[in-house]
Amino acid sequence: MADAKIIDGKAIAADVRAKVAADVKRLKAEHGFVPGLAVVLVGEDPASKVYVKNKAEQTVETGMLSFEHKLPAETAEADLLALVDKLNKDPAVNGILVQLPLPKHINSEKVLNAIDPDKDVDGFHPVNVGRLWIGARSLVPCTPTGSLILAQTVAPKLAGLDAVVIGRSNIVGKPMASLLLAQSCTVTVAHSRTKDLPGVVRRADLVVAAVGIPEFVKGDWIKPGAIVIDVGINRVPKGDGKTKLVGDCDYASCAAVAGAITPVPGGVGPMTIACLLKNTVEAALIQKNIPALG
Ligand code: NAD
């Protein structure tokens, strides 16, 4: 089999952002408002600071309003909850994202559950989890949404495909399984206790790897021609004292067998913020009872 088609997440994320920018213009012209995203950062975690900066920059680039709230690491849980309450009530704020991880003295679940579900652009609130599983209009976690969009670029009709999701986290694995079920895939969720994982993966027409173990999925697990979506982002030593990013799939061996595959970096990664922006527009539409924009 020839080498797999490489699914270009950077280019597809740019398309998603362009659509968001067009939707923002349309909302301004037809409905007289511009959606706004509030991002809350507590503390000085270097990776979180970079994510928040990128989110704010890309929000502004799509024409939306960006509200950044940077709080010191010692912020009391009650003060953070008070800010969330204020943002819930602010009509200029359509999306609220509290950057994780939060400092240890703050109960993350309590804070995330305090966000108005209709402003919960991360899609982590139990109300959105429930809405997703019953097929109601909801805000869906960004990484699985982006992964689905990538798969659909190579297989517009996923119905009937055997899909195997490796990983059962609330952030990636479980919502991914729900999204694929909604596309009428036959979905298997594999995890750390799955028996004969290579055998399970070999049945899949579509594999989504969200394991967190570098280069875990091997090419001889992949059915020839299958679609491979690699969610993993792992930093590993390069051998020269420097580090590099690799996915949860052993790229070279998987690409030799798959029909299409996402690279790391440049696959699922860029889709996550693009889908956050998409969710901010969707949140605004839900709040204003406007049907999805075509
Ligand atoms: P997690 O640690 O919460 O979950 C990992 C899952 O893998 C668990 O459900 C576990 O059952 C499963 N697992 C662990 N060992 C296994 C094994 N030996 N065999 C089979 N399954 C096994 O991780 P997560 O938050 O879901 O993230 C998964 C990966 O995706 C990580 O590499 C993370 O960095 C990456 N990630 C990327 C993005 C992005 O924007 N691209 C976003 C979130 C997570």
Side-chain angles (χ1 to χ4, degrees):
M1 157 122 348
D3 270 2
K5 175 183 165 46
I6 298 168
I7 303 173
D8 185 347
K10 249 174 121 173
I12 298 161
D15 292 345
V16 171
R17 289 196 302 273
K19 168 76 167 73
V20 169
D23 287 349
V24 169
K25 265 196 185 144
R26 206 172 136 186
L27 286 175
K28 195 173 176 185
E30 293 175 16
H31 296 275
F33 77 96
V34 171
L37 173 64
V39 178
V40 180
L41 174 67
V42 185
E44 298 289 328
D45 179 71
S48 294
K49 277 166 105 171
V50 174
Y51 293 143
V52 165
K53 184 171 164 276
N54 289 343
K55 285 168 186 171
E57 277 173 10
Q58 293 189 28
T59 302
V60 171
E61 275 166 27
T62 55
M64 291 193 284
L65 303 175
S66 168
F67 307 98
E68 277 183 83
H69 294 268
K70 292 182 180 162
L71 307 179
E74 60 276 12
T75 299
E77 184 180 283
D79 291 337
L80 180 56
L81 288 169
L83 173 61
V84 168
D85 186 50
K86 198 175 133 213
L87 297 173
N88 281 342
K89 291 175 179 147
D90 185 342
V93 173
N94 300 105
I96 303 170
L97 182 143
V98 177
Q99 184 66 43
L100 299 177
L102 288 169
K104 287 200 172 55
H105 66 278
I106 296 178
N107 180 338
S108 302
E109 197 181 339
K110 200 169 166 186
V111 173
L112 296 183
N113 289 357
I115 297 173
D116 177 345
D118 288 348
K119 295 191 176 186
D120 165 40
V121 280
D122 258 337
F124 296 159
H125 194 288
V127 167
N128 280 317
V129 176
R131 285 177 181 161
L132 173 62
W133 279 97
I134 63 170
R137 193 176 187 188
S138 65
L139 295 168
V140 182
C142 303
T143 301
T145 300
S147 300
L148 177 67
I149 293 172
L150 293 181
Q152 285 172 322
T153 63
V154 286
K157 289 203 177 96
L158 296 172
L161 294 190
D162 283 318
V164 171
V165 178
I166 317 174
R168 56 176 161 184
S169 70
N170 290 331
I171 294 173
V172 189
K174 285 181 198 162
M176 188 74 238
S178 183
L179 284 173
L180 292 171
L181 193 57
Q183 294 295 319
S184 301
C185 291
T186 303
V187 182
T188 301
V189 182
H191 47 77
S192 52
R193 307 288 288 274
T194 295
K195 283 186 281 180
D196 184 23
L197 184 62
V200 171
V201 175
R202 261 178 220 125
R203 297 202 302 261
D205 304 304
L206 167 61
V207 181
V208 180
V211 195
I213 304 176
E215 300 175 321
F216 177 69
V217 176
K218 309 298 179 206
D220 65 358
W221 302 10
I222 303 297
K223 181 172 164 177
I227 301 166
V228 177
I229 305 293
D230 189 349
V231 180
I233 301 181
N234 309 286
R235 192 163 282 286
V236 296
K238 220 164 73 171
D240 56 0
K242 296 186 179 147
T243 60
K244 61 173 180 175
L245 289 181
V246 297
D248 288 346
C249 297
D250 176 39
Y251 184 80
S253 67
C254 290
V257 185
I261 188 167
T262 60
V264 178
V268 175
M271 294 299 286
T272 298
I273 297 185
C275 290
L276 170 71
L277 306 174
K278 183 167 138 47
N279 271 357
T280 305
V281 169
E282 176 63 4
L285 297 178
I286 289 173
Q287 287 152 39
K288 294 181 186 284
N289 218 3
I290 301 170
L293 300 176

